[in-house]
């Protein structure tokens, strides 16, 4: 009987210690807990694209111009408890936005026949990064747009855009004193 009581006490102490250890809240040192003040919806990507994934917009490899666009929306949560209203998305005008890009492309030695033309590629790499445009801001509808070309981004000659190339984009700004960032990417497709 004493052995059973001893085991029950040990079990109770272990349960109490386990509860105390698991009840500790540990802060994540890598993630800032500030909630974004706006929703940045990437135009061309499926609306409501899962937050855990990077929204991707596909552009044809033969496109002469690339148009990167996003809608900046403020979320009105005043009707969150009313099922007939819910959360409303209101365009956020005049929000200053900075769009940065990054390209990491490896070109393999290859010969490609396209129609009657033959293209010969030598081994090469394209690493480019920078800022797109100056003083971009959202219009009355919350829309921010920037137009560029593959050539302006560094895709030319041996480094011409090809199916599968990715252009990583970072949309950053400040709204009502709180900074925000949204990541997206542009993917090159073949015709």
């Amino acid at each position: 009987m004493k052995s059973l009581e001893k085991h029950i006490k040990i079990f109770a102490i272990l349960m109490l210690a386990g509860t105390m250890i698991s009840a500790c809240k540990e802060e994540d040192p890598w993630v800032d807990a500030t909630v974004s003040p706006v929703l940045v919806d990437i135009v061309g990507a499926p609306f409501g694209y899962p937050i855990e994934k990077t929204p991707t917009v596909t552009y044809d490899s033969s496109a002469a111009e690339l148009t990167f666009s996003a809608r900046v929306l403020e979320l009105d949560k005043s009707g969150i408890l009313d099922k007939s209203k819910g959360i409303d998305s209101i365009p956020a005008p005049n929000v200053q936005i900075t769009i940065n890009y990054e390209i990491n492309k490896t070109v393999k030695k290859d010969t490609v026949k396209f129609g009657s033309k033959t293209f010969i590629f030598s081994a090469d790499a394209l690493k480019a990064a920078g800022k797109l445009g100056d003083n971009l801001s959202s219009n009355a509808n919350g829309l921010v747009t920037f137009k560029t070309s593959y050539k302006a981004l560094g895709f030319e000659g041996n480094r011409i855009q090809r199916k599968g190339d990715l252009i990583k984009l970072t949309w950053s700004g400040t709204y009502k004193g709180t900074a925000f960032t949204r990541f997206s990417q542009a993917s090159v497709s073949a015709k």
Side-chain angles (χ1 to χ4, degrees):
M1 202 55 149
K2 288 185 179 183
S3 176
L4 180 63
E5 288 178 11
K6 182 179 176 182
H7 283 33
I8 290 175
K9 287 180 183 178
I10 291 173
F11 180 73
I13 290 171
L14 288 175
M15 290 297 290
L16 182 60
T19 303
M20 292 175 77
I21 290 172
S22 65
C24 295
K25 181 179 178 185
E26 186 174 324
E27 294 293 327
D28 188 345
W30 306 109
V31 178
D32 188 3
T34 305
V35 176
S36 177
V38 292
L39 169 67
V40 181
D41 176 41
I42 306 302
V43 176
F47 184 77
Y49 201 85
I51 297 300
E52 68 274 4
K53 294 186 179 179
T54 303
T56 303
V57 180
T58 304
Y59 294 89
D60 189 275
S61 63
S62 64
E65 185 175 72
L66 305 174
T67 303
F68 302 134
S69 297
R71 279 187 297 271
V72 182
L73 305 166
E74 181 178 11
L75 299 178
D76 177 11
K77 299 176 186 171
S78 62
I80 197 167
L81 297 177
D82 183 352
K83 67 179 180 180
S84 65
K85 292 181 183 177
I87 299 174
D88 194 14
S89 302
I90 303 167
N94 304 317
V95 177
Q96 295 292 317
I97 299 286
T98 300
I99 307 172
N100 291 304
Y101 75 96
E102 180 183 337
I103 301 168
N104 288 311
K105 173 188 171 96
T106 302
V107 180
K108 296 179 182 176
K109 185 177 179 179
D110 196 7
T111 302
V112 177
K113 290 187 178 188
F114 187 73
S116 62
K117 294 183 180 182
T118 300
F119 298 93
I120 300 172
F121 295 96
S122 58
D124 198 355
L126 169 61
K127 291 187 184 283
K131 185 175 18 171
L132 299 175
D134 287 319
N135 299 323
L136 299 173
S137 65
S138 58
N139 65 16
N141 296 320
L143 188 66
V144 178
T145 300
F146 183 79
K147 295 182 180 188
T148 189
S149 66
Y150 286 119
K151 187 175 183 178
L153 295 172
F155 289 102
E156 61 182 333
N158 191 55
R159 301 170 177 172
I160 193 167
Q161 67 277 4
R162 294 170 75 183
K163 181 180 178 182
D165 289 343
L166 288 176
I167 304 164
K168 295 181 180 184
L169 300 170
T170 305
W171 306 75
S172 301
T174 302
Y175 187 72
K176 294 185 178 178
T178 305
F180 63 89
T181 299
R182 177 68 161 141
F183 299 104
S184 71
Q185 60 189 13
S187 174
V188 179
S189 68
K191 255 187 174 177

